[in-house]
Amino acid sequence: MAPFNQKMAPHDLKLINKLSEIALNIRKNSLIMTTKAGSGHPGGCLSCADILAAIYFHQLRYDPEKPDWEERDRFILSKGHAAPALYAALAMAGFFPTEELLKLRKIGSILQGHPDMRKTPGVDASTGTLGQGLSIGVGMALAFRLDNRPNRVYVLLGDGELDEGQVWEAAMSAAHYRIDNLTAIVDYNRQQLSGCIEKVMNLEPIGEKWSAFGWHVIKIDGHNMKQILDALDEAERVRGKPTVIIAYTVKGKGVPMLEKSFLSGDCKYHGTPLSEAELAKALEELHG
Amino acid sequence: MAEKLSGTRDAYGETLVELGSENRNIVVLDADLSPSTKTILFAQKFPERFFDVGVAEANLVSVAAGLASAGKIAFASTFSVFGVEKTLNQFKQSVAYPNMNVKLVTTHGGISVGEDGSSHFCIEDIAVMRSLPNVTVIIPADAVETRAATRAIAEKSGPVYMRLSRPKTPQIYEDGYKFQGRDLKFEIGKSITLIEGGDVTILATGVMVAESLQAAQELARRGIRAGVVNFHTIKPLDKEAILRAAANTGAIVTAEEHTVLGGLGGAVAEVLVEEDPVPMARVGINDTYAESGPWRELFAKYGLTSADIVKAAEKVLKRKAK
Ligand SMILES: Cc1ncc(C[n+]2csc(CCOP(=O)(O)OP(=O)(O)O)c2C)c(N)n1
């Protein structure tokens, strides 16, 4: 059967508008879901919404009717705390009814606080402990190459997550094995849980680090849909080495109050949802 | 009776600040979780003695070992699941084996983490940590005991693992570390008998001590005299207290927010089987992964309430009668 997501001609305006609309929806749902759940991580959901829209509604091959379809591409949300954004994308893609979204974090729900591949259709890897997704992706990519299969693997990482040594172990091995069916994307919002990365753990020069590890590096504005699509295309063309897309993003993107709060150095909304009143205001103000 | 709730991690953070003023050798490390573990209180007061290593738990533990080897008393904190499970080898190799003065104090232990779900639960730590020679393993029953325990482990040289909780939990002690007016002293390795038992004794640790006290009340209503002993230290294990309870009541129930495999129940069973095999039952999580949800609901679903303890007590009493 034909894959659900036929790639459209690259990057015409219609496509970009469609994807931006979807990203907005992911943001909206992430905020509602975390507020209704009473816990969760809104900031890091908003920074990766555009990337998720591009991945799930343009780049990835999958079939929501057959979540285990062997020919599908894989997506790993290594920064698992952004699960609400992933769930919103999966629901829109048709993996499960959107009503499920409001059961996030409730007892008995298919939507766990962090991604669970055994409970949620469409989730390709269980994450939540930071630092493991890229290694899992390396394993998947090696298996696909062994079997001469065309499946591609995408891994989305947080920048704070890059503090984990295992990320660099995985980075080294991906380059060593010349894996080119794997694309890593770093949600470079320059914030982690307890502060901005310059304060907690400096990552610069980030591009040089990845290229020293043998990766092809692309830096983009992670909220510019055309740049996201172009980078994903470029990554697909690179041969003999893995590609990392460093997406410069804004934590809390789209909600002025959140953007301001993070910029001021306050990390409260990393792991605290908006109150009902804040949510109402945020939904009014939300923009792409 | 309205229960009073208080935060073990708040008590920990506040006590660290006190200790920091008293002793310049105290240093504190964290792995990008200081607002959650409450080491942020120490960080604000003593920024030069606080080290955030970022989201890098393996590094956290080994850097703490380095500080300790140069004479510091190093408190290292993160969530239990990461502090124990991401660093087991680092903890063994750089802390436990060379007997370093490192206190690995983790918060968000057990499943009372709640909504974050299984990726963030830690129900294996007692089993893992008590298997390491040199390591002291402590789970305070409430916030009051956490203050006493934090002071005690700072004074004790050598590796310590202490587990605290995310939610505010029932406070069983009066402020100043008293139980029903009785003054207590926190001694590492010495359990605290809260209620003397006649028919059965419940040995509990952590938040399950509060559940056990409730269970004892319910059992009393049913005419069963149940004792409750707080095992705030799981290693070194208070063997004497276990054998005394076995001798006095002839039936034992253990209760812990941990898998039933290898935790307090396992430790108590090891002692009883070798020395006085009275009937016993273990209350804990039954070799399964839990799920996201409000913690009280999870306790009910996964068998960690006073009702589960009552059931277990009635079961062992039947075996005792045979
Ligand atoms: C191994 C591990 N350590 C700690 C945590 C707790 N934690 C959750 S999110 C987070 C900060 C992550 O920062 P970043 O990767 O930059 O995420 P973002 O800012 O994109 O939300 C931390 C420390 C975790 N989930 N896993």
Side-chain angles (χ1 to χ4, degrees), chain A residues 209-275:
Chain A
K209 282 195 176 74
W210 284 94
S211 52
F213 273 74
W215 287 58
H216 177 68
V217 180
I218 308 171
K219 289 188 180 178
I220 60 164
D221 170 352
H223 301 304
N224 180 317
M225 198 53 79
K226 179 161 184 336
Q227 288 188 27
I228 298 173
L229 297 176
D230 287 341
L232 289 169
D233 274 353
E234 182 180 329
E236 229 176 323
R237 288 194 303 269
V238 174
R239 290 282 164 267
K241 52 157 77 175
T243 295
V244 60
I245 299 169
I246 299 174
Y248 284 71
T249 56
V250 173
K251 200 152 169 173
K253 173 71 179 176
V255 178
M257 164 211 149
L258 290 182
E259 291 185 21
K260 235 181 274 152
S261 166
F262 282 114
L263 273 183
S264 78
D266 185 352
C267 302
K268 177 177 166 206
Y269 293 104
H270 168 83
T272 311
L274 301 181
S275 68

Side-chain angles (χ1 to χ4, degrees), chain A residues 39 41 105-108 112-114 127-130 160 163-164 192-194 200-201, chain B residues 32-33 35 52-57 82 86 115-116 119-120 291-293 297-298 301:
Chain A
S39 62
H41 303 78
R105 290 174 167 249
K106 303 244 155 56
I107 206 158
Q112 296 293 293
H114 293 79
T127 53
T129 288
L130 293 167
D163 298 348
E164 290 284 0
Q192 48 195 106
L193 186 146
S194 60
V200 179
M201 194 51 60
Chain B
D32 196 26
L33 280 170
D52 193 332
V53 299
V55 197
E57 296 79 10
F82 311 130
K86 289 198 62 123
E115 288 81 357
D116 272 345
S119 64
H120 283 56
E291 64 188 288
S292 291
E297 289 178 35
L298 291 178
K301 181 161 177 180

Side-chain angles (χ1 to χ4, degrees), chain B residues 273-319:
Chain B
V273 163
E274 286 191 344
E275 312 217 6
D276 188 3
V278 299
M280 84 166 271
R282 295 163 299 156
V283 172
I285 294 156
N286 242 317
D287 195 22
T288 188
Y289 293 101
E291 64 188 288
S292 291
W295 75 275
R296 299 281 199 178
E297 289 178 35
L298 291 178
F299 269 40
K301 181 161 177 180
Y302 290 90
L304 297 180
T305 62
S306 56
D308 297 292
I309 299 171
V310 167
K311 238 185 282 161
E314 291 183 326
K315 206 171 82 189
V316 281
L317 283 172
K318 268 193 207 126
R319 287 174 51 212

Side-chain angles (χ1 to χ4, degrees), chain A residues 15-31 42 44-58 84-86 88-89 92 222-226 228-229 252-255 283 286-288:
Chain A
L15 171 66
I16 288 174
N17 287 341
K18 175 190 118 178
L19 294 177
S20 302
E21 196 57 35
I22 289 169
L24 198 62
N25 232 317
I26 292 177
R27 291 198 166 91
K28 194 175 118 194
N29 275 313
S30 302
L31 291 172
C45 288
L46 300 194
S47 60
C48 66
D50 298 290
I51 297 163
L52 285 171
I55 292 276
Y56 274 98
F57 296 89
H58 179 69
L86 172 64
M92 273 184 258
H223 301 304
N224 180 317
M225 198 53 79
K226 179 161 184 336
I228 298 173
L229 297 176
K253 173 71 179 176
V255 178
L283 292 179
L286 193 62
H287 60 81

